[in-house]
């Protein structure tokens, strides 16, 4: 048994799992735990330390993500080959620096940077740089790196049930570019339908071009099919943004049928569908499309990193030539430097493992946030437990101003956002509350602090 006595204590401010990570990381770095050493089972180490098994599992996941350890199927967790880490040199004369502004607690829709698998990602980048350096700087197909497009097609089939080929995949510099490109190509001066409340940048993009906009009023179960379909309809069926509901399969099929009758198109924004914490995953709308009327848009910003700036669209085969006509030069699409490393990361199964780990961590944080919000008095408002996504929409009672509350919350260090900012007429009053960047054990206190802000503003 590895002796961590004195290294882990509930009396410290640092979370228990992080104390375990720090203690094991030091032993691996200084050579006390050698390459190939099998770490104790999570159950055995938990019993030895007197902590919950889930705490040890979280610690082991972090060590694996950082490259200090690796899982072997059916054998356990083993120490990796890690060179000793030298302490950073301290400059003789400290240089004063202004720290960047903190984004604020409970920021909605933001992944936890600490969950990013930095070391495995670095190994993929290094491997590609050694084996195929030209792929980091040269691209022949404006639709994106061919290997990444193949991996995206396989991923969409595996996780979202979409039957597609690499030919249909267009790599973009984020989901927003994919959405705007699809809108520009498909609307062609006709009308468009958007959810209300919905994604604010998309609304502004459509209004700036003077397109006729029809509003689809979204509720806890998404939007209803209108009597008359627009030429283009943009939906977030898996997890409506910002309210959080899931569009039932019959409604999805009704939208697709209506689009077929209209000769129109549906753009499916599936921005955080991977983060569903209860029940069976609902298939993507594009997986139900048998008439080629649905354009599927996904992103790596929510699941992997905002900084990666990569998204993608999966096009019906009939639209591929029309989209290709917009790309007359290989440099017209997304930046290529990260595309081949991401393909390598996906091909080796590490992306799937990262998604499963992130989903498990975010599920714990969602449960903690929802439990804390459930303790708020009804006089403040209410929320729906959708068990999905990266934020919770808390609906305020009448006569409360969500913009004023968010301004006061920002002064107190919170990053929540007003629901009214996503409503075309600003009528919806609510708070978008994130949880992904907080530790589960910290969320009760953070949400209690937010409650005080809301009560003092009401």
């Amino acid at each position: 048994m590895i002796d961590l006595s004195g290294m882990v204590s509930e009396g410290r401010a640092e979370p228990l799992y992080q104390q375990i990570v720090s203690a094991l990381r030091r032993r691996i770095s200084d050579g006390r735990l050698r390459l190939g050493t099998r770490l104790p089972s999570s159950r055995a180490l938990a019993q030895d330390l007197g902590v919950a098994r889930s705490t040890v599992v979280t610690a082991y996941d972090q060590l694996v993500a950082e490259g200090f350890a690796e899982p072997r199927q059916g054998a356990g967790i083993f120490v990796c080959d890690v060179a000793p880490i030298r302490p950073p040199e301290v400059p003789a004369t400290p240089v004063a620096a202004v720290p960047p502004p903190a984004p604020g607690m409970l920021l909605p829709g933001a992944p936890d940077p600490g969950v990013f698998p930095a070391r495995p990602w670095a190994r993929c980048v290094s491997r590609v740089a050694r084996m195929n350096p030209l792929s980091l700087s040269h691209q022949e197909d404006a639709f994106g790196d061919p290997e990444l497009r193949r991996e995206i097609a396989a991923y969409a089939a595996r996780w979202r049930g979409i039957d597609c080929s690499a030919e249909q995949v267009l790599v973009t510099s984020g989901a927003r570019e994919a959405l705007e490109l699809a809108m520009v190509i498909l609307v062609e001066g006709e009308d468009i339908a958007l959810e209300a409340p919905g994604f604010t940048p998309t609304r502004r993009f459509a209004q700036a071009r003077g397109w006729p906009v029809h509003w689809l009023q979204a509720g806890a179960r998404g939007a209803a099919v209108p009597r008359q379909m627009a030429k283009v309809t943009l939906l977030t069926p898996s997890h409506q943004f910002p309210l959080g509901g899931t569009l039932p399969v019959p409604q999805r099929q009704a939208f697709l049928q209506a689009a077929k009758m209209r000769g129109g198109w549906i753009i499916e924004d599936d921005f955080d569908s991977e983060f569903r914490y209860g029940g069976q995953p609902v298939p993507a709308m594009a997986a139900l499309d048998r008439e080629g009327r649905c354009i599927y848009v996904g992103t790596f910003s929510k699941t992997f990193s905002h900084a990666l700036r990569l998204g993608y669209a999966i096009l019906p085969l009939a639209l591929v030539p029309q989209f290709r006509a917009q790309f007359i030069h290989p440099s017209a699409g997304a930046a290529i430097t990260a595309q081949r490393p991401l393909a390598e990361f996906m091909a080796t199964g590490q992306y799937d493992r990262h998604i499963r780990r992130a989903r498990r961590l975010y599920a714990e944080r969602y449960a903690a946030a929802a439990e804390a919000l459930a303790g708020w008095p009804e006089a403040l408002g209410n929320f729906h437990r959708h068990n999905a996504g990266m934020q919770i929409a808390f609906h305020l009672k009448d006569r409360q101003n969500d913009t004023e509350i968010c301004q006061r919350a920002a002064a107190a260090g919170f990053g929540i956002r007003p629901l009214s900012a996503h409503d075309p007429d600003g009528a919806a009053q609510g708070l978008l509350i994130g949880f992904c960047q907080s530790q589960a054990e910290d969320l009760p206190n953070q949400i209690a602090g937010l409650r005080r802000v809301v009560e003092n503003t009401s």
Side-chain angles (χ1 to χ4, degrees):
M1 178 62 66
I2 296 174
D3 182 17
L4 298 183
S5 58
M7 303 298 293
V8 178
S9 170
E10 293 187 357
R12 298 177 185 171
E14 187 180 30
L16 287 172
Y17 90 92
Q18 191 60 57
Q19 294 180 45
I20 297 172
V21 170
S22 299
L24 290 173
R25 190 192 290 132
R26 284 194 294 271
R27 282 158 173 72
I28 295 171
S29 298
D30 63 18
R32 282 181 284 173
L33 288 177
R34 298 179 180 277
L35 168 65
T37 300
R38 183 182 183 279
L39 297 179
S41 70
S42 57
R43 188 183 304 277
L45 186 56
Q47 291 176 345
D48 185 59
L49 297 176
V51 301
R53 185 186 179 191
S54 60
T55 301
V56 178
V57 170
T58 301
Y60 280 0
D61 282 345
Q62 184 66 29
L63 287 170
V64 170
E66 293 178 0
F68 285 89
E70 63 178 0
R72 297 179 187 172
Q73 186 69 34
I77 307 292
F78 292 81
V79 173
C80 289
D81 184 9
V82 180
I85 300 174
R86 296 174 58 189
E89 296 182 0
V90 180
T93 305
V95 179
V98 179
M105 293 179 287
L106 308 180
L107 182 68
D112 184 353
V115 176
F116 181 75
R119 288 179 181 268
W121 171 250
R123 287 196 291 268
C124 284
V125 174
S126 177
R127 187 179 303 116
V128 171
R130 291 194 311 270
M131 305 300 294
N132 193 353
L134 191 61
S135 67
L136 301 176
S137 60
H138 178 72
Q139 178 174 302
E140 295 183 355
D141 192 333
F143 261 38
D145 179 80
E147 291 194 16
L148 177 58
R149 291 164 62 208
R150 281 195 291 271
E151 290 302 325
I152 290 173
Y155 173 81
R158 191 167 60 249
W159 283 77
R160 305 301 293 129
I162 301 174
D163 182 14
C164 65
S165 66
E167 178 188 357
Q168 297 169 254
V169 177
L170 165 65
V171 181
T172 64
S173 58
R176 184 169 170 179
E177 185 194 33
L179 293 170
E180 293 176 355
L181 177 65
M183 291 163 67
V184 166
I185 292 176
L186 299 177
V187 172
E188 297 178 344
E190 298 198 52
D191 54 353
I192 186 170
L194 302 175
E195 294 171 325
F199 188 44
T200 301
T202 303
R203 182 184 81 220
R204 291 173 177 167
F205 185 83
Q207 291 175 328
R209 279 148 187 80
W211 295 336
V213 177
H214 305 289
W215 301 111
L216 302 174
Q217 295 301 317
R221 301 285 282 174
V225 181
R227 290 192 181 92
Q228 184 174 354
M229 284 286 286
K231 177 70 173 180
V232 175
T233 300
L234 199 155
L235 297 171
T236 52
S238 293
H239 184 235
Q240 201 279 333
F241 181 85
L243 299 182
T246 298
L247 192 67
V249 169
Q251 279 180 244
R252 299 177 186 219
Q253 294 171 329
F255 266 110
L256 290 168
Q257 180 63 24
K260 174 187 175 182
M261 299 299 294
R262 170 68 169 82
W265 306 96
I266 292 175
I267 303 174
E268 177 181 10
D269 183 2
D270 210 29
F271 65 102
D272 65 356
S273 63
E274 289 86 354
F275 300 127
R276 186 171 185 83
Y277 312 125
Q280 293 297 316
V282 179
M285 199 165 184
L288 305 174
D289 182 20
R290 298 293 179 265
E291 303 295 333
R293 312 308 305 181
C294 186
I295 297 91
Y296 178 91
V297 173
T299 181
F300 294 101
S301 294
K302 300 295 185 181
T303 56
F304 204 50
S305 170
H306 277 305
L308 204 62
R309 303 307 306 159
L310 286 178
Y312 56 94
I314 299 177
L315 311 170
L317 281 170
L319 287 178
V320 171
Q322 194 172 348
F323 275 72
R324 277 206 173 273
Q326 303 297 317
F327 294 88
I328 58 176
H329 191 276
S331 63
I336 65 172
T337 305
Q339 292 190 36
R340 185 61 63 86
L342 181 56
E344 171 84 7
F345 197 79
M346 298 177 78
T348 55
Q350 295 181 88
Y351 186 68
D352 282 18
R353 288 196 292 272
H354 165 70
I355 293 295
R356 292 188 181 97
R357 174 173 175 266
R359 183 166 55 189
R360 184 170 66 250
L361 292 175
Y362 293 166
E364 294 173 357
R365 298 171 190 183
Y366 176 91
E371 186 66 24
L373 283 171
W376 285 21
E378 292 185 9
L380 294 181
N382 60 79
F383 71 100
H384 298 283
R385 287 182 184 257
H386 294 297
N387 292 314
M390 305 177 76
Q391 64 274 320
I392 296 173
F394 186 87
H395 301 273
L396 295 167
K397 291 292 187 181
D398 296 337
R399 298 182 300 279
Q400 291 178 300
N401 188 303
D402 60 1
T403 301
E404 181 183 355
I405 290 174
C406 288
Q407 289 172 347
R408 295 199 179 189
F414 293 96
I416 62 171
R417 297 289 185 263
L419 179 60
S420 62
H422 300 280
D423 195 6
D425 57 13
Q429 294 291 309
L431 309 175
L432 297 182
I433 302 171
F435 51 85
C436 292
Q437 293 189 346
S438 301
Q439 298 300 320
E441 57 265 30
D442 296 331
L443 280 161
N445 287 335
Q446 291 178 2
I447 289 179
L450 177 60
R451 172 181 170 177
R452 290 191 289 270
V453 172
V454 176
E455 289 177 329
N456 291 335
T457 309
S458 303

